[in-house]
Amino acid sequence: MKFLVTIEQDEAGYYVVECPALPGCVSQGKSKNEALVNIREAIHASLETRQAEGLPTTLEVTEVEVAVL
């Protein structure tokens, strides 16, 4: 499966990665590569937990266009 993730660098210099399709699925790392490795592990764990609890494994994620003033 493929998931979109967001990557932001926080004030301490860590990269914070979130998977919007899986609420609460967030990880971080000292580098982008480390953060991406960590989010893969977090996604895997989230999917296992959601399956075990009978929850959907994905939510729909779509783009919304907004005019910037």
Side-chain angles (χ1 to χ4, degrees):
M1 296 178 80
K2 291 185 180 184
F3 291 90
L4 295 176
V5 297
T6 60
I7 304 171
E8 289 185 286
Q9 193 170 18
D10 70 11
E11 59 279 346
Y14 282 82
Y15 290 89
V16 179
V17 187
E18 183 173 1
C19 181
L22 297 169
C25 189
V26 180
S27 194
Q28 67 179 10
K30 292 180 182 179
S31 68
K32 283 185 185 179
N33 286 338
E34 181 181 1
L36 291 171
V37 167
N38 292 342
I39 196 66
R40 283 183 184 94
E41 292 174 5
I43 289 169
H44 188 267
S46 178
L47 290 172
E48 284 184 337
T49 300
R50 293 178 74 81
Q51 286 175 339
E53 294 181 7
L55 299 170
T57 55
T58 60
L59 298 176
E60 184 177 347
V61 177
T62 189
E63 283 186 22
V64 175
E65 188 173 335
V66 177
V68 178
L69 305 175

